[in-house]
Amino acid sequence: MFKTILFPTDGSALSEKIIPTAIDFATLTGAKIIAIYVVQPLPFPTVTDGGINIDAGIYEQQMNEAAQHHLNKIGDEARAAKIPFESVVVQSVNPYEEIVKTAAQAHCDIILMASHGRKGLNKLFLGSETQKVLAHTTLPVMVLR
């Protein structure tokens, strides 16, 4: 039924907590896992003349290294379970767009992702990448907490 699972991760404790579930699901369905980490660009411009001066290149390098570190954790567990595994690191202001786009390009059958379960004003102001994925894909989405 499911041959390819897209597993978005943001490296959070919640995302790491659901890795075993993703591995178990892939084992049960005989699917491969494609894990994606979306690196968001530097959220504010650098400031000079006594203000903050952040090197965008260093920021990007550190974020890409962090992304690869988190993807390697998933990959290690997938390989230990003999699950075919691929990883993708992309950069975007809107992670949900890259998740939906990658799922389509990779011919995924399902997206399996964590949700922080924000409520009230936090949900309104912070938004929910999971909600946006649900709204913009036609694929089944399994949401875990």
Side-chain angles (χ1 to χ4, degrees):
M1 178 176 206
F2 299 112
K3 294 182 178 136
T4 307
I5 300 166
L6 185 68
F7 181 32
T9 183
D10 60 3
S12 66
L14 184 57
S15 287
E16 289 192 16
K17 179 181 168 187
I18 69 168
I19 293 171
T21 303
I23 300 297
D24 289 347
F25 188 74
T27 300
L28 287 171
T29 61
K32 77 175 180 180
I33 294 176
I34 299 175
I36 181 172
Y37 191 111
V38 182
V39 174
Q40 292 183 294
L42 192 62
F44 47 86
T46 58
V47 179
T48 56
D49 295 336
I52 299 171
N53 189 10
I54 297 175
D55 184 325
I58 292 173
Y59 170 83
E60 186 176 319
Q61 177 186 351
Q62 289 175 341
M63 292 304 294
N64 283 325
E65 288 172 1
Q68 199 57 57
H69 172 75
H70 294 296
L71 292 170
N72 287 344
K73 285 182 183 179
I74 301 166
D76 290 346
E77 290 196 38
R79 284 185 283 280
K82 297 183 176 34
I83 302 293
F85 176 80
E86 295 175 28
S87 64
V88 178
V89 177
V90 293
Q91 186 173 6
S92 178
V93 175
N94 297 309
Y96 79 92
E97 289 177 348
E98 293 300 325
I99 293 166
V100 171
K101 182 171 113 181
T102 300
Q105 289 174 341
H107 306 289
C108 294
D109 306 298
I110 188 168
I111 300 170
L112 190 152
M113 62 191 304
S115 176
H116 293 279
R118 292 185 181 102
K119 293 182 173 38
L121 291 177
N122 279 340
K123 183 176 180 181
L124 178 65
F125 291 119
L126 297 175
S128 166
E129 293 305 315
T130 305
Q131 288 287 59
K132 292 173 190 171
V133 168
L134 286 165
H136 290 91
T137 187
T138 58
L139 292 175
V141 179
M142 182 182 296
V143 181
L144 301 169
R145 288 192 194 169

